[in-house]
Each structure stands twice: as structure tokens, then as C-alpha cells.
């Protein structure tokens, strides 16, 4: 199959993703420098919040969405051996999403949309920001449709056969995104855009936060599923071994989709709009969603052990040294798992109904978030990029040793930056502030940690430069590369796979029931009763 157009489609998406990443990385260093108060000439509240908002949107929405779409398109075509369904449709989705990014970027960079990554009301942005964000989401829905259609096409052409695991995971992510993006889409379309345009005078902040909670935590798994896809489907092959269990991998992806959706209220523990019972229900669900993470940890480590022993590793831990540590994807996975373990521990604190009160709205939260997202998720995006770029561009990777250096410096920089964040959170430093220079004994105790964070941010920016340089030099190289993506094979290939591990029909019904239970009345209440001195919403 001639897939030159598919490679171009994927590569263009990935360049947009990493272009956004490069700009956001520069802003990230500026933010830790400015908020430290060490450099008075840099202090500007307006510039700081414009930078924080742009950094969050570029990293959380642009990098992730375009990377996932580009990755998904090529996973679909390479695993199914099919061309992308309706290329015009796919390119239309790309241009709609890119138009949205440009529209949202203009007010962000101009300081007219300094509403942070969550854009919670009563903060109000320029309407162009909300419209642009909506177009980005709508553009991503084109990708979701393409993935689902290709999944169905393959199943119809291969009745009774297991859908390739990489495509199964990609389809799971498309379904997850359609479900979870509905929350923020409703908030923006029916509340924020009419409000920003002046069509309505007021909106219900509680309803807005509830709808955003629908999206706020499941989006983390939208970001993370490509990382898990690489863990299961790419790394075992790169390590020289096999996937421990195909069935366990499918179960993990299904559990991620089903249980990551109805749990958003752990972000609202300190908010008064929802009652304790609903918060407790979502809190229990949050602990349940750790199950697929434990399954993933066990399965991928078992897969690495298989590879290590096939490579000659002996004894209880000898297989670890026998792994191909000079393979960028294997290294990225190991470093990502280490950060996942540490970040996951912090996540359990955040999810605990009582313990959350200790760290809520403190520096602990961005520390945890950056360790999971900037650490585990993004470092695996790097590993995937180093593997995919030669295949997509037809050029060999410019410098493998530079890739390894970049991964190590990213890991080191992220650990240096996030560790003080966690400590500062326990010391009571609030998050989302532009200055910590208050000149009292408590804030003076923060200064050493702020200095360490600046160093960590500088290491991360250096690492970001290495990534972009390596990919750029690969892109413009003159040598040619011939190769395709190789997917890991399970030790025991599934032969009689039950339909519930090969399809999402029943799971969509389960999700609908769970979402109705978890969000039905909590949203409906805003239309049935007066809340906090205001009338029923829409009246």
C-alpha cells in the first residue's frame, strides 16, 4: 500500500504539536523565573497570566490534540493496512482545528484571554478565544469519526478476527474523547460564548464548573492513552521481546475509558455547588480508575522482563541491565514509568476526600500535574517521535545519542522542578499566583525551592531545544530511510477473543449509564432550583 499521503498527514499534525510545545516550553521557564521574585525587572502581572494561560492551552490542548491525531492516523493505517478513510475529511478536520488554534492564540498572546487553562468563570475571555477553542475540539471530532469508521471497516472485512491492539487502543481514545469533550463543549457553546458576546448578562458559575469537571479529569487519559499504546504495542518489540498479555491490555484500555469518565468531582471537593454524597461517589470512582494503571504497570514490566531475559539477562534482576538502554523508546518508557509511580502517589492524595483539603489549591497540584503530564505522558511522546520521524519523513534519525541525552535531561529537569513544587504545596504556597515575594518568614522559606525550580525549568528548556533540533535536522537530512512501524506480538496470540474485548458497543451503554448516574442530577439541579442567591439557570 502506498501510504505517502498518510505519512504526510501524520507528520504535519506532529509538527504543529511540537511547534506548540516549543513555544510553551519557553513560556514555562519565564513563569518560574518571574514568580520567584528574584528578577524584579521581569515582574508583570499581565504578562505572567497571559503566559500561564497560553502555556497551559498550548501544552494541554494543542500539543496533545495534534499529537494524538497524527499518531492515531498513522497507527490506524499501519496496523490495519488500510488507507485513511476519506482523506479530504481528515484534512478538513486538521484545518478546522488549526484555524481554532490561531483564533484562540491571538487573544491569548494579547492578554485578552488570561483565564488560565481551565478558563473558569467568572473570569471572562475575549469571545474569539472561546470560539477558537471550540473549533479545535470540533476539528478533533473529525479525527474521532475517522478512527471509528476505520475500526468498523476493518471489523466488517475481517469478521471474528481480533482488531489489532494498537487500533483497539486508538479507537478507545477516540470514543473517550467524544464522551469527555462533550462537557466542555456544552459549557462553551451554551454559556461562555453567549456570555462573552454579550448575549446574556450572567451565567451560573456552578453549572460551568460542573460541566468542565465532566472533561477535566478524563482528558488526562485522552493524553495518556497514546503513551499506554506505546507501552503495550511498540516498546516490547523495540526491547527485543513480546507483549505479556494482549487480553490484559484490552481490559486496561476498556477500564480506562469506562471508569475515567464519571469521576470529575474530585476537582470540586472544595466547591459548594455539589453535595458531599456526589463528591464521595466520584471519589470512590477515582480510586477505581487506578486499577487499569496497576494492570498496565504489571503487564508492561512483565513484557520488559521477557525482553531482558531473551537478551540474556540472568538472575532476579539481571534482565534490567540486559534491556537495550540505548533505544530511545525503551529509555523513554522506563523513565516515564518512574515518574508515573511518583506522580500517581500524589494523585492518590488529590483524590482522597479528606487529604485533598491539605493540598487543594496549593503548589502541590501543579507539581503532581507536571509529573504525570509533563513527565510520563510527554516523555513518551518524545520516544514515539524518535521512532516515527524516520518512518514518516523517510530520513534516518539525525543523532541517536542526542535523543538519549534529551530524554535524560527531560527526566532530570522534571524531577528537579516538580519536587520543590510538592514541598512548597505542603508549606502552604498557593498556586496560580504571579508573585511569592511577600517578605515574611513563611514566604522567605520558599525562596530556596523557587531557585531550584528555576534551575529545573532551565534544564527542561535546554532539553526541549535538543528535541526540536534533532527532529528538524532529521527532517532536512539528505539520506534516505526505508522502514515501517513494527508492533509487538503477544506471547500467546488471542484466537477466541470475546466480543466485549473486541468491540465498544456494550461499553458505550455502560458509559451512558455511569454518566447519567454521576452527572445527571448534579447538572439537572441547576435548572430545578435556585442556587446561591440566583434564579434557576436559563430563567
Amino acid at each position: 500500500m502506498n501510504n505517502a499521503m498518510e505519512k504526510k498527514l501524520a507528520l504535519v499534525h506532529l509538527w504543529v504539536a511540537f511547534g506548540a510545545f516549543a513555544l510553551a516550553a519557553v513560556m514555562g521557564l519565564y513563569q518560574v523565573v518571574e514568580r520567584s521574585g528574584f528578577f524584579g525587572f521581569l515582574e508583570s502581572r499581565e504578562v505572567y497570566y497571559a503566559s500561564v494561560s497560553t502555556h497551559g492551552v498550548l501544552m494541554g490542548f494543542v500539543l496533545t490534540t495534534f499529537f494524538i491525531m497524527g499518531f492515531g492516523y498513522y497507527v490506524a493505517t499501519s496496523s490495519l493496512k488500510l488507507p485513511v478513510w476519506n482523506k479530504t475529511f481528515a484534512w478538513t478536520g486538521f484545518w478546522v482545528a488549526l484555524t481554532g488554534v490561531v483564533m484562540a492564540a491571538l487573544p491569548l498572546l494579547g492578554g485578552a484571554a488570561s483565564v488560565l487553562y481551565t478558563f473558569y468563570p467568572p473570569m471572562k475571555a475575549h469571545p474569539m478565544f472561546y470560539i477558537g477553542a471550540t473549533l479545535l475540539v470540533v476539528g478533533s471530532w473529525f479525527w474521532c469519526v475517522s478512527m471509528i469508521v476505520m475500526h468498523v471497516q476493518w471489523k466488517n472485512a475481517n469478521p471474528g478476527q481480533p482488531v489489532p491492539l494498537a487500533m483497539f487502543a486508538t479507537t478507545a481514545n477516540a470514543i473517550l474523547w467524544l464522551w469527555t469533550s462533550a462537557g466542555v463543549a456544552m459549557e462553551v457553546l451554551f454559556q461562555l460564548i453567549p456570555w462573552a458576546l454579550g448575549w446574556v448578562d450572567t451565567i451560573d458559575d456552578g453549572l460551568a464548573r460542573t460541566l468542565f469537571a465532566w472533561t477535566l479529569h478524563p482528558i488526562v487519559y485522552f493524553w495518556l492513552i497514546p503513551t499506554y499504546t506505546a507501552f503495550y504495542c511498540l516498546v516490547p518489540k523495540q526491547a527485543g521481546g513480546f507483549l505479556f498479555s494482549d487480553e490484559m491490555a484490552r481490559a486496561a484500555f476498556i477500564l480506562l475509558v469506562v471508569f475515567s469518565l464519571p469521576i470529575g468531582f474530585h476537582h470540586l471537593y472544595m466547591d459548594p455547588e455539589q453535595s458531599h454524597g456526589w463528591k464521595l461517589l466520584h471519589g470512590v470512582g477515582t480510586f477505581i480508575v487506578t486499577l487499569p494503571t496497576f494492570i498496565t504497570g504489571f503487564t508492561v514490566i512483565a513484557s520488559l522482563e521477557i525482553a531482558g531475559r531473551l537478551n540474556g539477562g540472568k538472575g532476579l534482576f539481571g534482565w534490567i541491565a540486559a534491556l537495550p538502554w540505548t533505544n530511545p523508546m525503551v529509555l523513554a518508557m522506563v523513565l516515564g514509568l518512574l515518574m508515573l509511580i511518583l506522580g500517581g502517589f500524589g494523585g492518590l492524595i488529590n483524590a482522597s476526600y479528606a487529604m485533598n483539603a491539605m493540598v487543594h489549591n496549593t503548589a502541590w497540584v501543579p507539581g503532581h500535574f507536571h509529573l504525570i503530564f509533563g513527565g510520563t505522558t510527554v516523555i513518551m511522546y518524545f520516544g514515539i517521535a524518535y521512532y516515527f520521524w524516520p518512518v514518516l519523513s523517510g530520513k534516518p534519525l539525525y543523532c541517536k545519542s542526542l535523543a538519549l541525552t534529551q530524554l535524560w535531561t527531560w527526566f532530570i529537569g522534571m524531577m528537579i522542578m516538580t519536587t520543590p513544587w510538592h514541598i512548597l504545596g505542603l508549606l502552604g504556597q498557593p498556586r496560580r499566583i504571579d508573585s511569592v515575594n511577600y517578605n515574611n518568614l513563611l514566604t522567605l522559606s520558599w525562596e530556596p525551592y523557587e531557585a531550584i525550580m528555576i534551575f529545573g525549568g532551565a534544564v527542561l528548556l535546554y532539553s526541549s531545544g535538543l528535541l526540536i533540533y534533532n527532529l528538524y535536522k532529521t527532517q532536512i537530512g539528505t539520506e534516505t530511510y526505508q522502514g515501517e512501524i513494527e508492533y509487538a506480538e503477544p506471547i500467546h496470540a488471542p484466537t477466541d477473543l470475546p466480543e466485549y474485548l473486541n468491540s465498544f458497543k456494550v461499553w458505550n451503554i455502560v458509559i451512558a449509564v455511569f454518566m447519567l448516574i454521576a452527572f445527571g442530577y448534579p447538572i439537572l439541579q441547576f435548572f430545578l432550583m435556585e442556587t446561591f442567591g440566583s434564579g434557576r439557570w436559563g430563567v
Side-chain angles (χ1 to χ4, degrees):
M1 179 183 67
N2 183 3
N3 58 356
M5 183 57 70
E6 280 78 6
K7 290 180 178 180
K8 180 180 179 181
L9 178 66
L11 193 59
V12 169
H13 279 83
L14 295 182
W15 265 123
V16 173
F18 285 113
F21 164 79
L23 178 59
V26 175
M27 293 180 175
L29 178 58
Y30 161 75
Q31 286 148 209
V32 294
V33 170
E34 196 275 356
R35 74 194 298 271
S36 70
F38 296 157
F39 305 92
F41 66 93
L42 289 176
E43 291 185 17
S44 169
R45 178 166 296 179
E46 292 76 15
V47 175
Y48 176 81
Y49 284 114
S51 177
V52 170
S53 300
T54 307
H55 173 85
V57 170
L58 288 176
M59 287 292 196
F61 287 115
V62 183
L63 162 66
T64 53
T65 303
F66 278 90
F67 181 90
I68 290 166
M69 290 193 294
F71 176 72
Y73 277 126
Y74 202 68
V75 163
T77 192
S78 59
S79 64
L80 300 181
K81 308 300 181 185
L82 291 174
V84 169
W85 173 76
N86 198 331
K87 295 181 181 64
T88 301
F89 184 81
W91 279 109
T92 300
F94 168 80
W95 287 112
V96 169
L98 186 61
T99 300
V101 170
V102 174
M103 288 183 66
L106 293 175
L108 277 169
L109 295 173
S114 297
V115 292
L116 306 183
Y117 154 75
T118 49
F119 46 89
Y120 282 144
M123 295 186 295
K124 183 193 292 187
H126 191 282
M128 188 181 292
F129 168 75
Y130 297 125
I131 295 170
T134 301
L135 288 177
L136 172 59
V137 172
V138 171
S140 71
W141 289 345
F142 282 72
W143 171 80
C144 294
V145 171
S146 295
M147 296 301 97
I148 293 170
V149 169
M150 292 182 71
H151 179 102
V152 172
Q153 283 180 333
W154 192 92
K155 285 202 69 177
N156 290 339
N158 300 271
Q161 296 299 311
V163 176
L165 179 60
M167 187 59 196
F168 184 83
T170 301
T171 307
N173 208 20
I175 291 171
L176 170 64
W177 182 235
L178 285 174
W179 273 104
T180 192
S181 61
V184 70
M186 287 188 286
E187 178 198 7
V188 172
L189 286 174
F190 299 120
Q191 287 190 283
L192 299 184
I193 290 179
W195 180 50
L197 290 172
W199 296 349
V200 296
D201 294 329
T202 62
I203 60 174
D204 193 314
D205 294 349
L207 175 59
R209 292 174 70 88
T210 300
L211 289 172
F212 198 85
W214 178 320
T215 300
L216 187 55
H217 198 78
I219 196 176
V220 174
Y221 296 98
F222 172 63
W223 302 334
L224 198 59
I225 282 181
T227 290
Y228 281 12
T229 303
F231 282 2
Y232 284 113
C233 303
L234 300 176
V235 175
K237 181 73 173 181
Q238 294 296 298
F242 297 89
L243 175 62
F244 178 73
S245 171
D246 181 281
E247 292 87 348
M248 288 182 71
R250 292 172 190 267
F253 287 118
I254 290 170
L255 290 172
L256 278 175
V257 175
V258 172
F259 288 110
S260 70
L261 281 158
I263 61 171
F265 283 7
H266 66 269
H267 291 280
L268 304 179
Y269 280 162
M270 300 300 148
D271 288 30
E273 295 88 5
Q274 302 298 338
S275 69
H276 299 307
W278 293 111
K279 294 173 183 177
L280 181 60
L281 176 67
H282 284 238
V284 172
T286 304
F287 281 96
I288 293 175
V289 84
T290 62
L291 179 60
T293 301
F294 286 129
I295 292 174
T296 297
F298 172 80
T299 305
V300 298
I301 291 174
S303 301
L304 288 179
E305 181 176 357
I306 292 169
R309 297 200 181 282
L310 288 175
N311 292 339
K314 304 294 184 183
L316 187 59
F317 298 111
W319 60 272
I320 297 176
L323 291 172
W325 288 90
T326 57
N327 183 299
M329 183 166 283
V330 175
L331 177 62
M333 175 183 172
V334 174
L335 298 179
L337 278 176
L338 291 174
M339 289 186 282
L340 180 64
I341 293 169
L342 297 172
F345 169 76
L348 293 176
I349 303 299
N350 299 341
S352 301
Y353 201 175
M355 296 183 72
N356 178 271
M358 177 176 60
V359 298
H360 174 75
N361 213 27
T362 71
W364 173 284
V365 178
H368 157 73
F369 177 79
H370 281 75
L371 199 54
I372 290 291
F373 172 67
T376 302
T377 300
V378 172
I379 201 171
M380 206 62 214
Y381 286 6
F382 300 157
I384 293 169
Y386 290 132
Y387 183 38
F388 272 50
W389 228 268
V391 174
L392 299 179
S393 67
K395 313 285 181 63
L397 185 65
Y398 171 69
C399 185
K400 182 179 176 182
S401 62
L402 191 64
L404 298 174
T405 300
Q406 188 269 322
L407 293 171
W408 275 111
T409 53
W410 186 264
F411 171 74
I412 293 168
M414 192 60 66
M415 296 304 298
I416 293 172
M417 190 177 72
T418 58
T419 301
W421 244 332
H422 284 85
I423 297 171
L424 287 168
L426 296 177
L427 292 176
Q429 184 185 96
R431 63 186 295 210
R432 294 171 169 163
I433 54 174
D434 64 292
S435 176
V436 298
N437 189 17
Y438 303 147
N439 292 323
N440 61 45
L441 291 177
L442 175 62
T443 59
L444 289 174
S445 70
W446 299 343
E447 289 187 355
Y449 301 105
E450 291 290 340
I452 295 171
M453 288 177 63
I454 292 173
F455 178 67
V459 174
L460 289 173
L461 182 59
Y462 171 73
S463 179
S464 303
L466 294 182
L467 170 80
I468 300 301
Y469 178 76
N470 209 355
L471 297 182
Y472 171 73
K473 293 291 285 186
T474 300
Q475 188 76 46
I476 65 173
T478 56
E479 298 181 37
T480 59
Y481 174 85
Q482 298 292 330
E484 287 296 333
I485 304 300
E486 295 181 321
Y487 294 99
E489 298 177 3
I491 298 177
H492 304 292
T495 55
D496 188 20
L497 200 65
E499 188 63 13
Y500 61 81
L501 288 180
N502 200 38
S503 170
F504 295 95
K505 292 180 181 178
V506 66
W507 299 117
N508 275 302
I509 297 173
V510 173
I511 291 169
V513 172
F514 281 0
M515 293 298 285
L516 182 62
I517 294 172
F519 283 95
Y521 181 77
I523 291 175
L524 187 63
Q525 67 173 338
F526 292 99
F527 298 87
L528 298 179
M529 65 180 70
E530 295 185 1
T531 55
F532 307 103
S534 64
R536 297 190 304 277
W537 191 78
V539 177

